[in-house]
Amino acid sequence: MLERSAGYGYFREYMKTLLNGTLVEFENLEDIKPEYTQDVTQLFKDVLIQERACKYGVDKCKSDASAQYKEWMTNYDEASPDNATISPNVNSIVYCYGVANGGEEEWNHAWRHYTKTNLASEKTAMLSAMACTEEVWLLS
């Protein structure tokens, strides 16, 4: 409900300030500390922080998601689309904000991956990512 209110801009700026400080400890979206592999709650918290950072427009998060998405596009192997090259912990973040910060080429790549993959989880992730586009006409 806050997103539709007049105060949302202030809230988003406040969240960006908080998340900029927290995000400093991450080198990039895949930088999940090894000691967290035994602590699923800490891992979940870190991924949630990174997702919120992208949602509220923290530049470091958005640029890293876009860079990882472009690298995935460049190194995409159509013969074996189910080989994961993006960490499964952050792939939904990378997919969504890669498409959101990109254009038609990024959206088309998500569609191509959707049609080629055999993994239901990847198909679901691609549908969600394609809905993240800022280009409304692409959804038509």
Side-chain angles (χ1 to χ4, degrees):
M1 291 177 63
L2 184 62
E3 284 186 52
R4 294 185 210 122
S5 73
Y8 180 69
Y10 297 116
F11 175 75
R12 187 180 68 212
E13 290 305 313
Y14 174 69
M15 291 302 295
K16 280 172 73 171
T17 304
L18 290 177
L19 291 166
N20 265 324
T22 307
L23 208 58
V24 168
E25 62 189 69
F26 301 108
E27 288 295 316
N28 58 44
L29 286 175
E30 292 182 346
D31 190 12
I32 304 296
K33 296 179 177 131
E35 61 266 22
Y36 293 168
T37 56
Q38 300 302 315
D39 186 358
V40 175
T41 16
Q42 184 65 42
L43 176 68
F44 181 75
K45 183 186 99 176
D46 285 353
V47 170
L48 184 62
I49 287 169
Q50 293 179 53
E51 191 277 327
R52 291 295 181 230
C54 280
K55 176 182 179 171
Y56 293 123
V58 174
D59 292 333
K60 183 180 188 295
C61 186
K62 287 171 50 178
S63 63
D64 191 43
S66 294
Q68 287 190 42
Y69 191 86
K70 288 209 182 286
E71 183 179 336
W72 175 62
M73 285 175 58
T74 303
N75 299 323
Y76 188 72
D77 182 8
E78 292 200 21
S80 55
D82 296 331
N83 289 344
T85 57
I86 299 173
S87 169
N89 296 322
V90 295
N91 68 357
S92 62
I93 301 169
V94 171
Y95 293 156
C96 179
Y97 292 97
V99 170
N101 298 327
E104 185 175 7
E105 182 182 0
E106 287 76 10
W107 194 92
N108 284 335
H109 184 74
W111 175 254
R112 189 168 37 258
H113 182 61
Y114 173 80
T115 60
K116 298 223 179 268
T117 188
N118 293 316
L119 300 174
S121 60
E122 280 292 295
K123 286 188 178 289
T124 302
M126 286 300 104
L127 286 175
S128 294
M130 289 184 287
C132 292
T133 186
E134 300 289 323
E135 306 290 339
V136 180
W137 61 272
L138 286 171
L139 297 176
S140 296

